[in-house]
Amino acid sequence: MADLGRICLLLALLVCVYGIGASVYGARSGRVEFSDSGRRAVYALAIILTVAFAVLEIAFLRDDFAFNTVADTSSRTTPAFYRAAAVWSSQEGSLLLWAWLLSLWSSLALFLVRRRMREVAAYATAVLLGFGAFFIALMIFYATPFATTSPTPAEGVGLDPLLRFPTMMIHPPMLYSGYTLCTIPFAFAMGALLARRVDADWIRATRRFAFAAWLFLGVGILLGARWSYAELGWGGYWGWDAVENASLMPWLTGTAFLHSLMIQEKRGMLKVWNVSLVLATGTLAIMGTFLVRSGILNSIHAFGGATLGVPFVTLIAVLIAGSIYLVVSRREMLRSEHRIDSLLSRESIFLANNVVLVGLCFVIFWGTYFPLISEALTGHEASVGPPWFDRYTVPLALLLVLLSGIGPVIAWRRATLANARRNLVAPTLVALIALVSLLGAGLSGKPFAIAMFCCAAFVLGSIGQEFFRGARARRAMSGEPAPVALLALVRRNRRRYGGYIVHVGIAVLFVGVAASSSFQHASEVGLSPGKSTHVGAYKVTYVRPTATVTPRNDVAHTGSTLSLGALLDVSKRGHHVATLRPSQGYYDSGEPSQGSVGHLIGGQAVSHISMSGGVTRDVWTAIAPNISTPALQRIVTVGNRTLPPDEAEVAIGFLARAYLKDPPPAQFHLIVSPLVMWIWIGGAIVFGGGLIAIWPAPSAVRRRVAMRSRARAAHGLARA
Amino acid sequence: MEILTIVLALALLAVVIGVISAPLRGAAKRGATDGDRSHGSDPSPELSELEAAREAKYREIRDAELDFRTGKLSPEDYEAIDGALRAEALEILERIARAGGEAPGVENSAARGG
Amino acid sequence: MNPARKRTVRLVVALSAAVALASALIYTSFSVASPALSPSQLVRQAQPGRSYQLTGTVVDGSVHRQGSELDFSVEDRVGGTAIPVAYTGTVPDPFREGREVIVTVQKHPGRFVGERDSLITKCPSKYKSAPAGEKQNY
């Protein structure tokens, strides 16, 4: 079956090359049948890669260890769920996933525009197939998923235990969907520049694709943060790690683009800016993909050797050079039709928002690539840490939130100053009330957090006012009861009110971030059973140790034979709040040199954290038990000496019993973080609002609206 | 190489060639008489562009009205902006009429994706 | 001032502000950054009071825990100079002897002290081809 996979890759490459040729020829000659054939080449690519992916997936599910990838990342003892996900835990498998998702999304996008924008779409097809060809060539020549060894190994190495969490299933496909979706607006921008047609049609098509990319990428980033927080033994959700930053940067430029696109739509200006933003988003997405798998930066994500570095750098250089060339050579066509009428207009605020977002992206870019920059400029590799990132991103984030509160009260095109001033009174009042309440409640010493809370209050006040006034205006016209009016208002003005909801979500998310980072209580402490410690307002007592032994032939076995932990009681002011059960799982190292018993627990040790989540705070704990005490080590040594490998599990039982009987003090990491839940809630609001904003109105409504506007416009002509 | 692999590979090849060549075979059957830019009932790029611009302009008119009703604009400013937008909309409508198709334009643009 | 002139002025002001901020950013990054050094380089170049990013492998048998402090030695990837580090803070799950780590340290008389929570352990490369793992913890 590996042969089928290899054939698929070769066929895919041929199809890509054909499709590029057919599309370009079709675009230049105007011969529709060739552009159509080129588009269908993308469909064909999707079919081929689906087959290839199925071949690999089936190999994983069937434990076909002849495949190198399967042998390296899966094993018979890996549960089926994780075997299916292990496909993309390796370099080769993730490349295949990337190419497959690219072909699927490209097929969908091209199908949706198949009757319009023919010339632009044809060039876009060529660009997308170019990306496809690149990744497929990587797989054929550098890192093939279908390499086999014979004789077939009997057992595989197994999935890294650190990845055996459910979110692992969803995070990479989501993130890769985001990355691949970023290439579609990129391709259409290139197509529009090549066809010299950067216009309203392009805006309409690109907006949808850019939004899809924004949505998937954003959800992927948020899931990654959630995974990091809720599953890993670290207790944080964002560390300014290179790979985290790499996914955030295209999201920031994508957000900027969604805003500035509206300015181009209304005023025919900022064309160069918009096109550049889109091209930058696509390039940053490729750079993000490259960072994860090159290890060129000292990130904790070392994912693949340096062999892929050269091809990727070449691709990125081509993308940047091509983008710059196209924009410069088409600059006549990209000249603005109008200018911004007035500084006091929503267009201006959007422009300011763009500047802040791009500024944020620049800061993060500089900090992320600093090791390379400093090496190039000074010869020494140096890096900047989270404090540097925080110092610059926090004020920019404050500004961003503030702008999202000011925008709603400013009209498009040219606002009336008196009205704007009057409209800002209520939100400012809300912010001041928040400030006074916070200071009154004794919260001080964290100026940035307080500032963020006040800005968020300002935003909520501003947007609340908008909803209220909009509903009131609608009721005045239609006489509907308030709730109905509100719903109708949102349904008929989805972009505006959906956008408002997105900003509410952002404000809530930042409140969560500010509260959980500034007002966190954390402690690292060693406890013996019976002892307790205080974290923030909570008292945590180590009640008793826990131990779980899972024999290897047990169906629930995930690779860890022994798991040691603790039962913790959390109370506040004498009242019981929660019972937590953190544990540490010890995995098989697969190295016989550690002894028959030693290797069973000598591999990876994975923290299973325990958390009590709540609306106002999360109480989070992780445990690092001590299994190196002389007593426990003696059991291991004796077991190594006397027990053959297939009976070694008996010793594990002894270990567990010994640990329970006489537990040594264990290290606990305890964190109380306020308002963390609101980060995830805020994120959900953001994406819900986004969906509302982009959802097309039912065609009947649109027709009515279009005809009514046409009649009014004609009436205007009669009047004039 | 197993038989199954060969069979599947050939099947895949057949599907791919079929999918890719369909437009080419269709065009050959129709012959060259239809002309190169035979889009059938699809609108010309210029018309499609104007229709997109018209929808954007209608949206602007509605946005301005909502701005006025939610208290962001004074009556004088609203009149000025509304008038300017209406004039721009009319210009687009005239250009659509010249490019050949106003009545079909309303249905088409409403039925197609916005 | 006519509108065109006003626009030019605004553009100039905006650009100057951007350049000023960017310069501040760039300047601080160079002064705040910690150079990445291997143990042999660190031994030669370290000055007290400056932070350095120490990269290397944890020496077998050197890991001891004393209360909340974790002591271990870091040696060059190719072997050779080993530097003892006294570290407090979060210890990532993959940390163990023989693994590659990055830890921010400062030179103190007689020893190197690791900055709190700055210990990073790289993905283990014991899996044959590419080291697995999309995300590791600090």
Side-chain angles (χ1 to χ4, degrees):
Chain A
M1 269 307 160
D3 285 329
L4 182 59
R6 281 191 277 259
I7 293 175
C8 282
L9 288 182
L10 272 167
L11 189 57
L13 189 60
L14 289 173
V15 165
C16 283
V17 172
Y18 167 75
I20 295 174
S23 301
V24 173
Y25 177 65
R28 293 178 70 95
S29 69
R31 295 185 62 181
V32 173
E33 60 271 22
F34 279 95
S35 327
D36 281 350
S37 185
R39 188 183 73 238
R40 280 156 162 264
V42 179
Y43 301 163
L45 183 68
I47 296 173
I48 298 171
L49 289 179
T50 306
V51 172
F53 194 80
V55 166
L56 195 59
E57 186 71 69
I58 292 173
F60 267 89
L61 291 171
R62 282 178 50 213
D63 287 327
D64 190 346
F65 296 120
F67 285 72
N68 288 3
T69 318
V70 181
D72 287 338
T73 56
S74 179
S75 62
R76 281 183 222 283
T77 55
T78 309
F81 185 78
Y82 295 115
R83 257 182 287 160
V87 172
W88 52 78
S89 70
S90 68
Q91 172 85 288
E92 306 82 14
S94 67
L95 284 175
L96 183 57
L97 177 68
W98 212 99
W100 182 50
L101 287 172
L102 177 72
S103 68
L104 289 178
W105 292 123
S106 302
S107 297
L108 181 63
L110 290 170
F111 178 76
L112 289 174
V113 297
R114 67 191 179 283
R115 292 205 201 289
R116 301 181 284 139
M117 306 173 63
R118 282 182 185 268
E119 203 187 338
V120 173
Y123 283 120
T125 308
V127 173
L128 289 169
L129 286 173
F131 280 124
F134 178 81
F135 277 84
I136 294 169
L138 277 184
M139 278 191 280
I140 295 178
F141 298 111
Y142 284 92
T144 174
F146 300 108
T148 51
T149 44
S150 93
T152 309
E155 170 67 300
V157 171
L159 183 65
D160 189 328
L162 272 172
L163 303 173
R164 299 190 193 195
F165 293 104
T167 343
M168 161 64 181
M169 267 290 241
I170 315 173
H171 172 64
M174 209 67 176
L175 204 61
Y176 286 2
S177 288
Y179 278 150
T180 49
L181 281 165
C182 284
T183 60
I184 297 180
F186 178 92
F188 273 85
M190 285 233 151
L193 286 171
L194 284 164
R196 296 176 190 273
R197 299 208 47 209
V198 180
D199 52 28
D201 232 354
W202 173 75
I203 291 178
R204 203 161 51 168
T206 304
R207 191 205 311 277
R208 283 231 193 100
F209 304 144
F211 173 79
W214 176 86
L215 183 70
F216 276 86
L217 198 54
V219 172
I221 293 171
L222 212 58
L223 276 179
R226 167 89 188 151
W227 176 34
S228 173
Y229 174 72
E231 314 273 20
L232 299 182
W234 167 40
Y237 44 80
W238 192 263
W240 294 116
D241 178 69
V243 176
E244 290 173 329
N245 300 343
S247 61
L248 184 59
M249 285 188 276
W251 190 85
L252 290 172
T253 53
T255 309
F257 176 70
L258 287 172
H259 286 87
S260 62
L261 195 57
M262 280 192 257
I263 303 182
Q264 181 173 342
E265 201 175 26
K266 291 179 188 292
R267 310 262 64 224
M269 52 184 295
L270 294 184
K271 295 184 190 179
V272 173
W273 176 258
N274 281 336
V275 164
S276 307
L277 270 180
V278 170
L279 295 173
T281 306
T283 312
L284 284 169
I286 298 287
M287 288 175 86
T289 310
F290 158 53
L291 253 189
V292 183
R293 48 181 45 84
S294 69
I296 58 162
L297 290 175
N298 254 348
S299 149
I300 44 196
H301 303 69
F303 199 67
T307 44
L308 291 193
V310 171
F312 264 111
V313 169
T314 319
L315 175 66
I316 290 170
V318 165
L319 293 178
I320 296 179
S323 306
I324 295 179
Y325 167 73
L326 276 178
V327 171
V328 167
S329 68
R330 285 2 187 212
R331 66 187 180 284
E332 281 305 310
M333 171 191 100
L334 295 172
R335 256 208 282 223
S336 295
E337 294 162 27
H338 303 281
R339 303 216 169 268
I340 287 194
D341 268 359
S342 149
L343 262 192
L344 188 66
S345 62
R346 203 176 280 196
E347 285 92 337
S348 272
I349 306 284
F350 273 37
L351 201 52
N353 141 294
N354 257 237
V355 169
V356 174
L357 282 169
V358 170
L360 262 173
C361 186
F362 177 74
V363 168
I364 296 175
F365 185 92
W366 184 265
T368 306
Y369 289 97
F370 192 72
L372 297 176
I373 297 173
S374 67
E375 173 118 46
L377 291 179
T378 67
H380 299 297
E381 190 186 320
S383 63
V384 290
W388 183 90
F389 280 101
D390 287 337
R391 192 188 320 172
Y392 292 100
T393 56
V394 167
L396 286 172
L398 276 171
L399 200 51
L400 203 61
V401 173
L402 193 65
L403 283 172
S404 74
I406 297 178
V409 306
I410 312 278
W412 286 105
R413 200 127 174 182
R414 190 171 62 244
T416 315
L417 181 59
N419 291 47
R421 271 209 287 252
R422 198 173 48 220
N423 292 340
L424 283 172
V425 166
T428 315
L429 227 62
V430 173
L432 284 173
I433 293 175
L435 178 65
V436 167
S437 321
L438 288 169
L439 292 177
L443 260 54
S444 59
K446 305 273 186 193
F448 280 116
I450 307 261
M452 182 57 85
F453 295 147
C454 295
C455 283
F458 179 77
V459 170
L460 291 173
S462 168
I463 293 180
Q465 182 181 252
E466 273 296 292
F467 272 95
F468 174 73
R469 291 213 178 148
R472 190 175 61 181
R474 177 147 182 92
R475 287 193 68 192
M477 288 197 307
S478 66
E480 293 160 334
V484 178
L486 199 60
L487 228 60
L489 177 73
V490 174
R491 273 183 56 220
R492 299 203 55 214
N493 298 282
R494 287 167 209 248
R495 200 185 290 179
R496 179 182 290 224
Y497 286 92
Y500 287 162
I501 296 175
V502 170
H503 295 140
V504 166
I506 295 281
V508 168
L509 188 146
F510 273 115
V511 164
V513 169
S516 60
S517 38
S518 299
F519 296 103
Q520 195 186 73
H521 294 278
S523 83
E524 284 245 7
V525 66
L527 287 177
S528 304
K531 293 280 191 295
S532 57
T533 182
H534 289 269
V535 189
Y538 294 86
K539 177 172 164 185
V540 179
T541 316
Y542 180 177
V543 175
R544 59 176 171 81
T546 62
T548 317
V549 178
T550 322
R552 270 172 301 185
N553 52 18
D554 191 315
V555 73
H557 185 86
T558 57
S560 154
T561 357
L562 176 66
S563 172
L564 297 175
L567 191 85
L568 297 173
D569 177 273
V570 181
S571 64
K572 183 173 179 180
R573 288 195 274 266
H575 298 291
H576 171 82
V577 168
T579 309
L580 298 177
R581 291 181 175 78
S583 66
Q584 183 99 302
Y586 299 95
Y587 284 77
D588 196 330
S589 72
E591 276 166 49
S593 62
Q594 292 181 327
S596 56
V597 177
H599 82 81
L600 283 177
I601 54 168
Q604 194 84 288
V606 175
S607 237
H608 290 267
I609 63 124
S610 184
M611 183 170 75
S612 162
V615 168
T616 52
R617 87 293 168 283
D618 281 7
V619 180
W620 182 101
T621 93
I623 181 177
N626 186 357
I627 56 166
S628 318
T629 60
L632 296 171
Q633 285 303 310
R634 207 171 24 240
I635 299 180
V636 175
T637 331
V638 169
N640 282 343
R641 240 197 336 233
T642 58
L643 291 172
D646 46 343
E647 289 175 37
E649 282 177 16
V650 173
I652 303 296
F654 276 116
L655 267 176
R657 274 195 287 275
Y659 187 80
L660 289 173
K661 211 168 74 148
D662 188 19
Q667 281 293 111
F668 290 93
H669 191 181
L670 304 158
I671 308 180
V672 176
S673 304
L675 303 184
V676 182
M677 177 112 9
W678 292 97
I679 299 178
W680 323 121
I681 296 177
I685 298 176
V686 167
F687 298 120
L691 282 171
I692 293 177
I694 205 75
W695 207 265
S699 46
V701 172
R702 245 176 312 149
R703 203 175 312 143
R704 263 204 317 271
V705 165
M707 294 186 85
R708 200 182 312 141
S709 297
R710 198 165 67 86
R712 293 220 315 262
H715 182 69
L717 169 65
R719 254 192 330 187
Chain B
M1 227 186 273
E2 311 163 0
I3 288 289
L4 183 61
T5 306
I6 297 181
V7 167
L8 285 173
L10 286 174
L12 189 61
L13 189 62
V15 166
V16 164
I17 292 183
V19 165
I20 291 181
S21 61
L24 299 170
R25 285 179 279 130
K29 248 193 299 208
R30 267 205 317 272
T33 51
D34 273 335
D36 286 344
R37 292 184 193 275
S38 53
H39 300 228
S41 64
D42 301 335
S44 71
E46 292 74 29
L47 192 58
S48 172
E49 147 72 6
L50 285 170
E51 284 170 357
R54 176 192 60 200
E55 287 195 32
K57 197 53 68 178
Y58 285 168
R59 185 187 288 276
E60 271 196 84
I61 295 175
R62 286 177 55 226
D63 270 341
E65 184 186 351
L66 192 55
D67 279 346
F68 173 60
R69 290 199 191 280
T70 50
K72 301 193 202 57
L73 289 171
S74 67
E76 303 80 39
D77 279 342
Y78 173 55
E79 286 285 336
I81 292 178
D82 188 52
L85 288 173
R86 295 262 177 86
E88 289 163 20
L90 275 170
E91 192 194 315
I92 298 177
L93 287 175
E94 280 166 13
R95 286 167 66 191
I96 290 180
R98 275 201 300 273
E102 195 168 7
V106 173
E107 271 73 60
N108 275 2
S109 76
R112 217 178 300 126
Chain C
M1 251 192 285
N2 63 39
R5 190 87 188 284
K6 258 208 276 193
R7 269 194 286 272
T8 321
V9 168
R10 276 189 221 138
L11 190 63
V12 168
V13 167
L15 276 177
S16 315
V19 167
L21 287 171
S23 316
L25 191 100
I26 293 171
Y27 178 72
T28 55
S29 60
F30 277 102
S31 55
V32 157
S34 339
L37 297 174
S38 67
S40 43
Q41 292 171 319
L42 191 65
V43 155
R44 272 176 288 144
Q45 299 173 21
Q47 288 156 353
R50 280 215 65 185
S51 292
Y52 300 93
Q53 279 223 334
L54 177 61
T55 13
T57 327
V58 180
V59 177
D60 289 334
S62 68
V63 180
H64 300 289
R65 186 173 268 285
Q66 298 185 37
S68 62
E69 182 180 291
L70 183 72
D71 295 322
F72 55 92
S73 290
V74 181
E75 66 176 355
D76 279 6
R77 218 169 286 167
V78 295
T81 333
I83 292 188
V85 175
Y87 173 78
T88 42
T90 328
V91 178
D93 282 347
F95 177 82
R96 53 188 56 221
E97 292 158 3
R99 293 271 165 88
E100 273 199 55
V101 295
I102 309 167
V103 60
T104 313
V105 296
Q106 278 202 26
K107 182 172 177 163
H108 282 227
R111 62 200 188 123
F112 285 89
V113 175
E115 226 169 75
R116 224 190 144 73
D117 292 341
S118 68
L119 178 60
I120 303 174
T121 310
K122 281 216 189 157
C123 301
S125 54
K126 68 183 173 80
Y127 296 117
K128 262 180 296 171
S129 56
E134 270 267 278
K135 203 151 168 97
Q136 302 280 325
N137 56 343
Y138 266 145

